[in-house]
Amino acid sequence: MNIQLTDKREQIFLSTLSLIHHYGFHGTPMSMIAKEAKVAVGSIYHYFPSKEDLIIELYWYCKEKLNSEVFCGITADQAFEERFIMVWKRWIRFYQQHIEIFGFLEQFYGSPFYEEVRSNVICQKAERNKLINFIDEGIREKHLKNLNVRIILSIYLGGAISLFRNSLITKEEIQEEEMNQLVEIIWNGVKL
């Protein structure tokens, strides 16, 4: 893809993230996105046939950014427990550094848009949802209990998201010791 086109798509994504963070899905019309991104409304429709398509593509953009940062440098030769803890802590740190993405994903998962991509999340485990693939690996290799992946994900991500959300509400920084204690509780609950 042409660099200029990539930059324009990226600018549209970043502008959309910022606006949705402030105004929500319904309070962010395409005209506002175009103005924020400094592009013509027609340019947005050139890349995305509709606002729904833009939001769904923005979801995949956010997921890919999250996956690439969280799983960067993590290799299969590291002990599974070490990777389990590292990924969990990186998940929280990613959200701390990308509050707009956190807010977008929170809105997205509670919206009808998610229904359109849910089947893709399951079908595209390795390519688009590294976390599901990682948990599958832990179960297959008998590091984790043989539970439904959804159960383990609920415990794993639920703890991270809840801790992060609480820090936003209380405006208190998450302490390293808090992360260590919570991830240890989670690990002890799901390890084989």
Side-chain angles (χ1 to χ4, degrees), residues 57-70:
E57 285 302 312
L58 180 57
Y59 167 76
W60 290 119
Y61 167 84
C62 291
K63 290 287 289 184
E64 288 165 12
K65 188 168 180 63
L66 174 76
N67 282 330
S68 70
E69 286 192 33
V70 167

Side-chain angles (χ1 to χ4, degrees), residues 43-139:
S43 293
I44 296 177
Y45 285 110
H46 172 75
Y47 299 108
F48 311 102
S50 67
K51 183 177 173 184
E52 290 76 20
D53 289 317
L54 170 58
I55 289 173
I56 289 169
E57 285 302 312
L58 180 57
Y59 167 76
W60 290 119
Y61 167 84
C62 291
K63 290 287 289 184
E64 288 165 12
K65 188 168 180 63
L66 174 76
N67 282 330
S68 70
E69 286 192 33
V70 167
F71 287 93
C72 179
I74 292 179
T75 61
D77 63 335
Q78 296 168 295
F80 189 83
E81 179 181 358
E82 178 186 348
R83 290 184 287 150
F84 185 91
I85 292 168
M86 197 179 313
V87 165
W88 190 84
K89 287 182 174 183
R90 285 182 178 184
W91 208 275
I92 291 174
R93 290 185 180 117
F94 178 87
Y95 282 151
Q96 288 174 319
Q97 295 166 3
H98 303 279
I99 291 173
E100 289 178 345
I101 291 178
F102 173 77
F104 171 80
L105 292 174
E106 288 281 284
Q107 285 184 66
F108 188 86
Y109 288 128
S111 77
F113 297 114
Y114 185 58
E115 290 303 312
E116 292 186 41
V117 299
R118 190 163 32 156
S119 61
N120 286 339
V121 170
I122 304 303
C123 296
Q124 300 174 1
K125 291 181 198 177
E127 301 82 26
R128 287 201 154 165
N129 199 330
K130 292 183 179 183
L131 188 57
I132 289 175
N133 193 45
F134 176 63
I135 298 299
D136 272 342
E137 174 194 333
I139 294 168

